[in-house]
Amino acid sequence: VCKRMDLVCQRMLNQGFLKVERYHNLCQKQVKAQLPRRESERRNHSLARHADILAAVETRLSLLNMTFMKYVDSNLCCFIPGKVIDEIYRVLRYVNSTRAPQRAHEVLQELRDISSMAMEYFDEKIVPILKRKMPGSDVSGRLIGTAPVPGPSAALTTMQLFSKQNPSRQEITKLQQQVKANGTGLTALKREISELRIKVQEQQKQLQDQDQKLLEQTQIIGEQNARLAELERKLREVMESTVGNSSGSGSNEQSLRKRRKAVEPPDCPRKSKRLRNRK
C-alpha cells in the first residue's frame, strides 16, 4: 500500500470520527433546546424518541472512544471501523429528517451490532499486536518517521494517554451493563415521581372540592339564619299585637262598669223624692 495513501486514509477516518462526534453534539443540543424542562412533560413530547436515540448514540460513541482512541493518540493505528462512522451518520440524519422515528432499539440495532463486532475484533486480534509496538514507559510517544494523525480534544486525549491499562472486552461489557442498570433505575424513579405527582394533583383536587362544598354549606347556613331571624321578628310582632288587643278590651270593660256606677246613684234619690211627694 502506498504510504502517502495510507496516511491520507488514516486522517480521513480519524477526522470522520471527530466530525461525527461534533455532529452528534450539535443534534443533541438542538433537540434538548426544544424539549421542556420538566421530565414528566418530556415523555409525552413529540421529540422524546429523538432524545432517546441520541442518548443511546452518545453511549455508543463513548465506548468506541474508550476502545480505539488510546491507540490512535499513540499513533499506533487509526480509527479502523469506518462503517461504524457511516452508520452513526445514517442514524443522526434519520433522527433529524423524521418527525416520528421508530423506537430506539429498532433504529440502533445495526449500529449496536457492527460496533460491538468491531470493538470485539479490535480487542481480540489487533490490540495484542499493538501492545508489542507500544513503548514501555512513554505511552504518548509518536512513531519515528510517521506524520502525526489528528486526534480528539485535548482534555479527552490527556485522560486516555495517561491510562495505563487497556479496557478489555469484559470491562466494556460491565460498563454497558452498568449503563443499562442506571437507565432502568432512572426510568423506574421517573415513573415513581410521575405517579407521586399524579397523586398530589388528585389530593389537591379533592381539597379544592371540599373547600367548594364547605363554602356552599356556609352560604346555606347563612341563608337559614337570615330566615330564622325574619321568622322571629314576625313572631314578635304578632305577639305584641295580641297583647295590645287583650289589654285594650280589659280597659274598655272597666270604663263601662265605672260609667254604670256613676249613672245609677243619682237616679235612686230622684225616685225616692217622687215617691215621697206621691205619699
Side-chain angles (χ1 to χ4, degrees):
V1 179
C2 175
K3 292 184 178 179
R4 180 65 180 171
M5 179 64 69
D6 187 26
L7 291 175
V8 171
C9 293
Q10 289 184 24
R11 290 195 186 97
M12 289 182 66
L13 288 169
N14 293 336
Q15 290 175 1
F17 183 75
L18 297 177
K19 287 180 180 179
V20 79
E21 280 187 328
R22 290 194 292 267
Y23 184 53
H24 170 264
N25 292 332
L26 179 62
C27 296
Q28 200 168 29
K29 287 180 180 179
Q30 291 176 354
V31 172
K32 286 184 177 180
Q34 298 177 12
L35 287 173
R37 293 185 179 180
R38 292 188 177 182
E39 191 66 28
S40 59
E41 296 178 357
R42 290 185 179 181
R43 294 183 180 180
N44 300 325
H45 199 268
S46 59
L47 297 176
R49 289 189 178 181
H50 297 73
D52 294 339
I53 294 172
L54 292 175
V57 173
E58 183 180 9
T59 304
R60 190 59 49 175
L61 286 171
S62 300
L63 294 174
L64 291 169
N65 209 331
M66 292 173 60
T67 304
F68 290 95
M69 282 304 161
K70 174 182 178 181
Y71 301 98
V72 172
D73 294 334
S74 299
N75 200 22
L76 296 176
C77 69
C78 64
F79 187 83
I80 298 172
K83 188 176 181 180
V84 175
I85 300 175
D86 297 336
E87 183 63 21
I88 295 173
Y89 269 118
R90 185 193 70 81
V91 173
L92 295 177
R93 288 165 183 162
Y94 172 77
V95 171
N96 285 337
S97 61
T98 307
R99 293 184 179 181
Q102 299 177 354
R103 295 181 180 178
H105 68 276
E106 297 176 358
V107 178
L108 299 172
Q109 185 64 41
E110 182 67 17
L111 177 59
R112 288 173 178 171
D113 291 341
I114 62 176
S115 61
S116 298
M117 288 189 294
M119 289 186 290
E120 186 176 356
Y121 181 82
F122 184 77
D123 287 334
E124 293 178 357
K125 302 295 183 180
I126 301 177
V127 168
I129 299 173
L130 297 179
K131 283 184 176 180
R132 297 173 189 172
K133 297 181 180 181
M134 288 181 66
S137 58
D138 189 9
V139 180
S140 62
R142 301 289 180 179
L143 293 178
I144 300 175
T146 58
V149 181
S153 60
L156 187 61
T157 304
T158 306
M159 292 175 61
Q160 292 175 348
L161 289 177
F162 285 97
S163 61
K164 295 182 180 180
Q165 295 181 354
N166 176 35
S168 62
R169 183 62 184 172
Q170 295 178 354
E171 293 177 352
I172 295 174
T173 305
K174 289 180 180 179
L175 180 61
Q176 291 176 348
Q177 292 176 356
Q178 290 179 358
V179 171
K180 289 181 180 179
N182 292 335
T184 305
L186 183 61
T187 303
L189 183 60
K190 291 177 181 178
R191 189 181 297 110
E192 291 179 0
I193 292 173
S194 63
E195 291 176 356
L196 289 174
R197 286 178 178 174
I198 292 171
K199 290 180 179 178
V200 170
Q201 291 177 358
E202 290 178 354
Q203 291 179 357
Q204 289 179 353
K205 187 176 180 181
Q206 291 177 359
L207 289 174
Q208 290 177 358
D209 295 338
Q210 291 178 358
D211 292 338
Q212 185 67 24
K213 290 180 180 179
L214 182 60
L215 181 61
E216 292 176 357
Q217 291 178 357
T218 305
Q219 291 178 355
I220 293 171
I221 291 170
E223 292 176 358
Q224 291 179 353
N225 290 333
R227 290 177 183 176
L228 289 174
E230 184 68 20
L231 291 174
E232 288 179 356
R233 185 181 63 78
K234 290 181 179 180
L235 182 60
R236 288 176 184 175
E237 291 178 355
V238 172
M239 291 177 65
E240 289 177 356
S241 62
T242 305
V243 172
N245 293 331
S246 61
S247 62
S249 61
S251 61
N252 291 331
E253 290 178 357
Q254 290 178 2
S255 61
L256 289 173
R257 289 176 184 176
K258 289 180 180 179
R259 289 176 182 176
R260 289 176 183 176
K261 290 180 180 179
V263 171
E264 288 177 357
D267 293 337
C268 294
R270 290 178 182 175
K271 290 181 180 178
S272 60
K273 289 180 180 181
R274 292 176 182 174
L275 291 173
R276 288 176 184 172
N277 294 326
R278 288 179 182 176
K279 291 178 181 181

